[in-house]
């Protein structure tokens, strides 16, 4: 048995662990495909605007960067990642764009912080999800904000919270291994695995994953992944749960952008999640 202190030991341990999650599905992945990881959170959307980083310059920046940490240190914190804002996805609610419902003449939200010209230009470049929401990447949104003078750092944009969803792209190199490392919070190496000081690592995982994860030889990695594979009920208090390859709460946004879900994880009562995805060709 190799350990993470031996050459290739950590990489081998991760490869074996990821094979447990991906199973036979990895063999069906097309040759030359590119992969990424995305993070989303209801809490993020609730307090997203006004936002100091939601500027045209930031959304069109070539280099990834860290975002302000609103939560402080905690296990499985997404704020240890760098994010690619240009590749991040922004979904505009259909009622917001149409000026209907809460945004209509009799609605409680009041006038939108942009005009019909902005909506028309947005619709021209956006993908459309199953409920007619408009999904754009940061690189597509940035020039529209400049052209129409829409300032997402302005206090008036607080009304957009919950009506504009962001699915943040974690900065990775494009391989499935890198996407899975990000999605399982193992990309920083074995010294950053969660321990009993962070979560109750002696608690069993979901029965779907408990037996397969016993095959992970690296004990620290096994405990770390078990904490990410609890039942949904147990994950309400700590740790996470594996939502699998069929559905993720933000799958509609990924689908609209041409991404395909590989494996997803959730936290709390589905309030937050991270997913490894196959990127559009």
């Amino acid at each position: 048995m190799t350990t993470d202190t031996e050459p290739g030991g950590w990489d081998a341990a991760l490869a074996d662990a990821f094979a447990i999650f991906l199973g036979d599905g990895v063999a069906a992945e097309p040759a030359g495909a590119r992969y990424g990881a995305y993070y989303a959170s209801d809490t993020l959307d609730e307090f997203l605007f006004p936002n100091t980083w939601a500027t045209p310059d930031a959304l069109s920046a070539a280099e990834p960067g860290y975002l302000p940490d609103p939560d402080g240190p905690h296990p499985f914190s997404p704020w240890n990642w760098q994010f690619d804002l240009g590749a991040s996805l922004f979904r505009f609610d259909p009622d917001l764009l149409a000026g209907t419902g809460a945004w209509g003449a009799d609605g409680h939200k009041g006038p939108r912080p942009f005009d019909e010209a902005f909506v028309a230009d947005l619709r021209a470049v956006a993908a459309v999800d199953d409920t007619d929401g408009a999904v754009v990447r940061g690189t597509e949104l940035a020039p529209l904000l400049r052209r129409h003078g829409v300032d997402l750092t302005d206090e008036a944009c607080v009304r957009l919270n919950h009506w504009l969803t962001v699915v943040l792209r974690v900065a990775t190199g494009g391989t499935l291994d890198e996407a899975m490392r990000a999605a399982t919070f193992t990309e920083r190496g074995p010294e950053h695995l969660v321990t009993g000081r962070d979560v109750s690592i002696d608690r069993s995982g979901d029965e779907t994953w408990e037996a397969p994860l016993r095959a992970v030889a690296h004990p620290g990695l096994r405990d770390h992944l078990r904490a990410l594979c609890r039942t949904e009920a147990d994950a309400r208090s700590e740790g996470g749960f594996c939502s699998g390859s069929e559905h993720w709460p933000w799958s509609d946004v990924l689908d609209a952008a041409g991404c395909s879900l590989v494996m997803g994880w959730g936290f709390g009562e589905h309030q937050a999640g991270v997913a490894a995805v196959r990127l559009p060709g």
Side-chain angles (χ1 to χ4, degrees):
M1 182 181 73
T2 61
T3 70
D4 58 273
T5 61
E6 298 176 21
W10 175 243
D11 292 340
L14 286 179
D16 290 344
F18 295 161
I20 290 172
F21 290 113
L22 301 173
D24 296 335
V26 68
E29 291 294 325
R34 295 182 65 255
Y35 299 86
Y38 284 91
Y39 172 77
S41 163
D42 288 344
T43 303
L44 181 64
D45 291 340
E46 183 179 0
F47 301 104
L48 188 61
F49 301 110
N51 197 312
T52 57
W53 57 256
T55 65
D57 287 346
L59 297 181
S60 57
E63 296 298 322
Y66 294 100
L67 297 185
D69 180 354
D71 306 318
H74 65 89
F76 306 120
S77 171
W79 311 112
N80 293 314
W81 295 319
Q82 292 193 68
F83 292 101
D84 181 346
L85 294 181
S88 296
L89 304 174
F90 296 79
R91 179 193 180 271
F92 288 75
D93 183 272
D95 278 336
L96 169 64
L97 296 182
T100 54
W103 294 91
D106 298 323
H108 68 276
K109 294 298 292 185
R112 299 168 303 185
F114 46 74
D115 57 21
E116 290 293 342
F118 174 84
V119 174
D121 280 355
L122 178 71
R123 284 292 194 188
V125 299
V128 179
D129 68 12
D130 289 342
T131 59
D132 202 35
V135 178
V136 292
R137 291 175 175 81
T139 51
E140 297 166 323
L141 180 58
L144 302 185
L145 298 179
R146 285 195 186 98
R147 185 181 311 151
H148 296 279
V150 177
D151 183 4
L152 297 180
T153 72
D154 186 85
E155 186 63 35
C157 288
V158 71
R159 290 175 294 151
L160 293 176
N161 291 331
H162 281 311
W163 297 86
L164 205 170
T165 297
V166 61
V167 182
L168 293 169
R169 173 79 171 273
V170 183
T172 62
T175 67
L176 180 56
D177 176 72
E178 289 166 309
M180 287 292 290
R181 289 184 188 221
T184 56
F185 298 84
T186 55
E187 82 286 354
R188 294 192 294 160
E191 65 275 13
H192 293 284
L193 296 174
V194 300
T195 69
R197 295 189 301 272
D198 306 308
V199 295
S200 303
I201 59 175
D202 56 344
R203 182 182 298 177
S204 297
D206 186 298
E207 63 181 14
T208 302
W209 301 108
E210 182 64 23
L213 286 175
R214 292 194 192 106
V216 176
H218 187 295
L221 178 59
R222 183 172 59 246
D223 289 340
H224 177 98
L225 294 176
R226 181 183 287 122
L228 280 171
C229 293
R230 297 193 165 156
T231 65
E232 293 187 38
D234 284 344
R236 291 176 181 175
S237 57
E238 64 174 11
F241 60 93
C242 184
S243 58
S245 60
E246 298 301 319
H247 180 73
W248 190 59
W250 295 268
S251 287
D252 56 339
V253 180
L254 297 179
D255 292 344
C259 299
S260 301
L261 179 66
V262 174
M263 189 65 59
W265 281 265
F267 302 92
E269 297 180 349
H270 295 270
Q271 292 107 326
V274 59
V277 308
R278 184 170 70 246
L279 302 173

